[in-house]
Structure formats: structure tokens, C-alpha cells
Amino acid sequence: MAISVSIVEDNRGTRESLKELLGRASSLRCVGAHPNAEEALRHIPVERPDVVLMDINLPHMSGIECVGLLKERLPKTQVLMLTTYEEGDLIFDSLRNGASGYLLKNMPPAELIQAVEQVHAGGAPMSMQVARKVVNHFQKIKRPLSEMEKLTKRERKSWRTWPRAISTRKSRISLELP
């Protein structure tokens, strides 16, 4: 059974090209194409696609905001951002609002088809440049200290000797030594 896909893209030429691309892919079926978020919010809940390809820079309401509203209504529908923007804040805002992947429009058509199949299968496809930004972001985050690392040097020493002290006390109690 073909994967149903809706498109939200304000540029008519891009929207038509995406419809044509999806129409040529035997594994995919385009069920709707919308020029703005408002129209998408009216029609996509009726279309109930498996996957939505969402542009970010839409008139009136952004694609990022639209993702959040769509996910409230259709939590199982997977949304792939398809955009020209590589800025970290847009990537993370999209993912926080419910996008399952983030793709750049300059990717080869075969890779876009593969990304739709991957997200439908449970993956989280990202363009190479986007994936690198995500990795770099997490590598820069300082890991939280463990509970042991939060202790002072003296507290750590006491903590390490405590089990021996308990063991010694238990031995004295079992032998009934003072």
C-alpha cells in the first residue's frame, strides 16, 4: 500500500514539482498540496496522510507553528520539514513542535523519496548538514555532574569508607563485641 503524503508549500512551482515527484514514485501517493498553513490545517485532518512535507517560511503562519497544530490533531502523522533554512534555532524549534525530520530542498529527488519512506518506517531523516548541526549542538552541551561528582573531596572519601564502617559494625554486633 502506498504511503499517503500531503504537501504544504507556498511556492507554486515547488509545490507542483513535489506533486509530480510523488506521483512518479510507486511507493508514494500525493493526497493534497496546500499553499499555506491555514489551508493545510483545514484539509490535512480530512486527508489524514501518513506523512506531511512542510515548508517553514509560509505566509501568515509559519510551518513550525503549523506542525505543532497538526500534531495536536493528528499525532500519528509524520511531518518532515522541507526547507532552505539551516539555522539551528529553526531546526530545533521544528523538532520541538513535532517534526520527525528536517530536510533541505536542495537534496536529490531520490533521497527525498527515500526520506519519506524512512520517516514512515519510524526513522528521523535529516539532511547531512542538518544532522551535523544537531550532533554539534549536543556535543557542546556539558553533561550534568553525577551525584558523586557533586560531593567535595572530603565527602567522597567519607562516602567510600562508609561501607567498610558499616561492615565492621555489623561484624562487632554479630560477635557481640563492644
Side-chain angles (χ1 to χ4, degrees):
M1 188 165 159
I3 300 166
S4 59
V5 183
S6 287
I7 301 162
V8 185
E9 168 62 58
D10 62 321
N11 181 288
R12 183 182 207 168
T14 302
R15 193 170 59 248
E16 293 301 320
S17 293
L18 288 169
K19 281 173 51 177
E20 184 181 320
L21 174 65
L22 296 175
R24 289 192 316 255
S26 61
S27 62
L28 309 178
R29 179 174 49 95
C30 183
V31 295
H34 313 285
N36 56 56
E38 294 79 9
E39 186 175 310
L41 290 168
R42 277 193 306 276
H43 296 283
I44 289 177
V46 176
E47 298 164 356
R48 303 190 71 75
D50 299 312
V51 178
V52 174
L53 295 176
M54 177 76 67
D55 188 21
I56 285 183
N57 191 19
L58 298 169
H60 310 294
M61 181 190 304
S62 79
I64 295 171
E65 187 178 349
C66 186
V67 170
L69 295 170
L70 276 176
K71 290 299 281 186
E72 286 175 11
R73 297 175 191 180
L74 300 168
K76 292 185 179 180
T77 296
Q78 302 302 307
V79 180
L80 284 174
M81 302 310 286
L82 182 61
T83 185
T84 59
Y85 299 103
E86 295 182 50
E87 289 80 6
D89 58 334
L90 297 176
I91 296 167
F92 290 106
D93 287 347
S94 297
L95 297 174
R96 266 191 292 277
N97 271 11
S100 298
Y102 197 102
L103 309 170
L104 298 177
K105 287 181 179 175
N106 63 359
M107 70 189 315
E111 287 181 24
L112 177 58
I113 290 167
Q114 187 177 33
V116 172
E117 293 168 345
Q118 286 174 356
V119 77
H120 184 258
M126 294 184 198
S127 296
M128 285 188 325
Q129 304 92 315
V130 171
R132 174 58 67 188
K133 286 181 188 254
V134 171
V135 168
N136 288 342
H137 171 79
F138 283 103
Q139 288 176 342
K140 290 177 187 173
I141 296 174
K142 193 172 184 174
R143 77 173 175 84
L145 296 176
S146 70
E147 293 302 314
M148 187 60 101
E149 291 171 316
K150 292 178 185 176
L151 299 175
T152 65
K153 189 174 183 177
R154 184 180 173 129
E155 289 169 329
R156 281 193 299 271
K157 183 178 179 187
S158 296
W159 181 256
R160 281 192 286 270
T161 59
W162 189 60
R164 274 186 292 188
I166 289 175
S167 178
T168 302
R169 177 150 169 79
K170 283 182 181 177
S171 297
R172 284 185 178 159
I173 290 172
S174 67
L175 295 174
E176 296 183 19
L177 298 173

